[in-house]
């Protein structure tokens, strides 16, 4: 499973309102404006959300008590950017979801975003596996890696899936430090999943990352069941 952080992401009503205002300012009737894509535009926050999610997790429902508590906390901390505007996810707590392969961590992470959108707050979010993120951030001709790192680091809500699954190196440690440090400093809600125990994360990503994670995240343990195999066996 690969979750790419370049996929279209959730927009919500705020964005649709902005588009309507821009069209009105240009005297363009929204009804006659050409549709930019072949697919019909998503028209509700939940549909927009689904469009930005990998198909496997589009119907994911978060039901882990700690994940539900996190959703409530993040929704409560949401703030309106200006008077009358919809409240948006801003600062908030983070989760470190740890468990064996197939335990349901990614399912809970996407389900948590769905719950947040259902709660009525605006959510700008991204999801990436750590391995995909490193691949995208590798310096290469034509790519602005610094800009990409800044965008991921500043995104109001970020899923970092499979932290610790990529091969360790000094470069991986440094990029992860810069990402986590930024989110730590600005208290940006981050959902992290990992197969590693905390001591192994420390060995993999260094003390500076693991120390910040220890403070900024609540650890969520999953039952030691691989739901993929369990399902096949049933
Ligand atoms: N609560 C749930 N209800 C129904 N299906 C679930 C639930 N949790 C997980 N699943 C399904 O179980 C499978 C494994 O879940 P998921 O991919 O979230 O595991 P994971 O912990 O992220 O595994 P990995 O560490 O390998 O990434 C998926 O097919 C997912 O859709
Ligand atoms: Mg996963």
């Amino acid at each position: 499973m690969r979750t790419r952080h370049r996929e279209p992401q959730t927009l919500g009503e705020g964005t649709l309102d902005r588009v309507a205002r821009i069209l009105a300012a240009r005297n363009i009737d929204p009804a006659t404006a050409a549709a930019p894509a072949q697919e019909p535009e998503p028209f509700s926050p939940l549909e927009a959300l689904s469009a930005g999610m990998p198909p496997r997790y589009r119907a994911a429902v978060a039901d882990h008590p700690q994940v539900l508590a996190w959703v409530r906390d993040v929704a409560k901390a949401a703030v309106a950017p200006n008077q009358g505007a919809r409240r948006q996810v801003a600062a908030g707590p983070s989760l470190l979801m740890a468990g064996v392969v197939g335990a349901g961590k990614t399912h809970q992470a996407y389900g948590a975003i769905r719950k947040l959108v259902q709660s009525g707050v605006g959510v700008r979010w991204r999801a990436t596996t750590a391995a995909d993120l490193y691949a995208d951030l590798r310096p290469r001709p034509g790519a602005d890696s610094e800009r990409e790192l800044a965008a991921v680091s500043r995104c109001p809500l970020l899923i970092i899936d499979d932290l610790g699954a990529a091969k360790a190196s000094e470069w991986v440690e440094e990029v992860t430090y810069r990402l986590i440090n930024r989110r730590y400093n600005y208290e940006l809600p981050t959902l992290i999943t990992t197969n590693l125990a905390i001591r192994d994360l420390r060995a993999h990503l260094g003390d500076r990352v693991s120390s910040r994670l220890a403070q900024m995240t609540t650890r969520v343990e999953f039952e030691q069941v691989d739901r993929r195999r369990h399902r096949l066996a049933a």
Side-chain angles (χ1 to χ4, degrees):
M1 191 277 301
R2 285 165 69 83
T3 50
R4 307 287 300 190
H5 63 280
R6 284 178 180 159
E7 288 173 348
Q9 300 298 329
T10 179
L11 298 175
E13 278 167 4
T15 305
L16 297 178
D17 288 345
R18 268 202 307 283
V19 170
R21 279 201 301 278
I22 291 166
L23 291 176
R26 294 179 186 178
N27 283 330
I28 299 171
D29 180 357
T32 58
Q38 287 177 336
E39 281 184 330
E41 286 291 301
F43 56 86
S44 79
L46 276 176
E47 280 176 336
L49 177 73
S50 292
M53 283 191 171
R56 183 167 301 281
Y57 299 106
R58 272 181 198 160
V61 176
D63 56 4
H64 193 294
Q66 283 177 277
V67 176
L68 296 178
W70 176 87
V71 168
R72 283 194 294 276
D73 290 345
V74 171
K76 212 186 302 170
V79 290
N82 42 55
Q83 216 183 1
R86 190 150 69 117
R87 293 189 311 122
Q88 303 283 325
V89 166
S94 296
L95 295 181
L96 180 60
M97 299 195 257
V100 297
V101 164
K105 305 176 294 295
T106 306
H107 179 100
Q108 294 294 324
Y110 280 105
I113 293 185
R114 171 169 293 274
K115 282 257 188 267
L116 265 178
V117 172
Q118 284 171 332
S119 80
V121 297
V123 190
R124 280 204 297 123
W125 64 281
R126 284 178 176 231
T128 180
T129 64
D132 282 342
L133 180 65
Y134 302 139
D136 284 341
L137 294 178
R138 288 265 173 214
R140 59 193 189 281
D144 189 343
S145 307
E146 282 299 317
R147 194 178 167 152
E148 189 59 28
L149 178 59
V152 178
S153 304
R154 289 176 184 163
C155 186
L157 175 51
L158 179 65
I159 295 178
I160 308 173
D161 213 0
D162 292 334
L163 187 66
K167 196 168 181 307
S169 70
E170 258 181 48
W171 182 83
V172 160
E173 201 174 310
E174 182 191 320
V175 166
T176 310
Y177 165 70
R178 291 180 62 197
L179 171 66
I180 297 296
N181 187 52
R182 164 86 199 187
R183 302 196 68 82
Y184 171 84
N185 286 348
Y186 287 83
E187 300 180 359
L188 296 177
T190 310
L191 293 171
I192 300 166
T193 79
T194 186
N195 296 131
L196 297 185
I198 197 80
R199 68 176 177 283
D200 296 329
L201 263 183
R202 185 183 307 128
H204 196 81
L205 296 170
D207 270 343
R208 287 182 304 172
V209 170
S210 66
S211 166
R212 282 164 180 76
L213 289 181
Q215 187 183 357
M216 72 191 260
T217 65
T218 301
R219 196 173 167 81
V220 183
E221 299 284 351
F222 283 70
E223 205 187 332
Q224 306 249 342
V225 173
D226 181 347
R227 286 174 170 266
R228 298 187 188 107
R229 293 179 197 281
H230 194 65
R231 178 175 301 206
L232 288 177

